[in-house]
Amino acid sequence: GENVEQHPSTLSVQEGDSAVIKCTYSDSASNYFPWYKQELGKRPQLIIDIRSNVGEKKDQRIAVTLNKTAKHFSLHITETQPEDSAVYFCAARGSNYKLTFGKGTLLTVNP
Amino acid sequence: DAGVIQSPRHEVTEMGQEVTLRCKPISGHNSLFWYRQTMMRGLELLIYFNNNVPIDDSGMPEDRFSAKMPNASFSTLKIQPSEPRDSAVYFCASSLGSSGEVEQYFGPGTRLTVT
């Protein structure tokens, strides 16, 4: 089945800096890659997703890039704000139609 | 729309007891997922249903776990007998479509503690 590795597990940045979270996947047939944000004690919520026919997607301060050849994708957050502090999960939809999630990255934005 | 509804929000039980978690998906959604979240293992898919039919239960840890979806608006996840290692947050999620390429909407979760 699909295996998704996510790095780093924790990330601390100063407000206004950029944050980058990277994920790799194993199933070359995977074609859908969502990112979820989970605040402490809350449910995961989709923040952005990308499909395999697209190399990059941007939504305001958030962008995601995909390299299918290398089987890795990344989340970029620019001009970070304290409210961006949360756990971020990447996921990949493999050939079995299931989403496999990474272990998560705890992002802390220091004021 | 009220979103995905789960009950109870918190459950504390003793080892050996039966636990039943409940989920109401978003109206009109035809796929439903049960996940378990722990610090050690992260977010794991236990089982998912499409049009009330279980499609893949390969993530169900063992026979103590069972899930049902008797109709489009209700699903249960049962653990019998429960064990301390079952302590986790259990999320239900629903989506429109079965391709897996659409947003999954998560419920608020049930925090289960087995003592």
Side-chain angles (χ1 to χ4, degrees):
Chain A
E2 176 68 280
N3 183 48
V4 176
E5 299 285 339
Q6 182 171 348
H7 299 280
S9 57
T10 61
L11 179 59
S12 181
V13 300
Q14 290 298 122
E15 182 177 359
D17 288 350
S18 295
V20 180
I21 302 170
K22 298 181 179 182
C23 289
T24 60
Y25 61 97
S26 60
D27 186 348
S28 57
S30 291
N31 58 3
Y32 174 64
F33 307 91
W35 287 86
Y36 283 79
K37 174 183 180 182
Q38 185 178 26
E39 297 177 354
L40 185 62
K42 302 289 182 63
R43 73 194 76 189
Q45 292 188 294
L46 181 74
I47 56 171
I48 194 168
D49 56 15
I50 191 168
R51 288 170 175 75
S52 58
N53 58 345
V54 176
E56 183 173 0
K57 184 176 178 180
K58 190 173 182 180
D59 182 4
Q60 299 183 349
R61 296 186 297 106
I62 294 173
V64 58
T65 59
L66 171 65
N67 183 327
K68 285 216 72 178
T69 302
K71 290 192 283 189
H72 68 69
F73 56 114
S74 301
L75 178 71
H76 304 252
I77 306 174
T78 59
E79 301 172 21
T80 54
Q81 302 166 3
E83 51 266 39
D84 294 330
S85 296
V87 177
Y88 291 81
F89 293 94
C90 63
R93 171 191 175 274
S95 52
N96 58 9
Y97 302 97
K98 297 190 297 186
L99 277 184
T100 299
F101 286 82
K103 290 290 176 63
T105 296
L106 174 61
L107 173 64
T108 303
V109 180
N110 302 299
Chain B
D1 195 324
V4 177
I5 299 173
Q6 290 186 247
S7 65
R9 294 293 307 277
H10 302 272
E11 176 80 36
V12 180
T13 190
E14 292 183 348
M15 183 174 64
Q17 297 299 306
E18 177 180 297
V19 175
T20 300
L21 311 182
R22 298 173 176 78
C23 175
K24 177 180 169 56
I26 292 173
S27 178
H29 282 190
N30 60 350
S31 291
L32 183 140
F33 310 83
W34 281 101
Y35 290 91
R36 178 172 67 178
Q37 186 174 40
T38 62
M39 289 295 293
M40 290 298 295
R41 301 175 68 87
L43 200 56
E44 304 174 278
L45 177 66
L46 301 178
I47 185 171
Y48 80 94
F49 295 84
N50 181 246
N51 293 324
N52 312 338
V53 176
I55 302 300
D56 190 326
D57 65 354
S58 60
M60 296 286 263
E62 49 198 276
D63 292 345
R64 297 185 297 106
F65 286 68
S66 62
K68 295 182 180 180
M69 191 164 186
N71 56 61
S73 59
F74 183 66
S75 177
T76 59
L77 178 67
K78 185 178 293 186
I79 309 172
Q80 166 63 17
S82 58
E83 297 182 2
R85 60 192 168 121
D86 301 330
S87 297
V89 179
Y90 291 81
F91 287 102
C92 174
S94 70
S95 69
L96 182 60
S98 58
S99 69
E101 293 184 29
V102 295
E103 179 175 1
Q104 293 185 16
Y105 294 82
F106 284 75
T110 295
R111 182 174 295 277
L112 173 64
T113 303
V114 183
T115 60

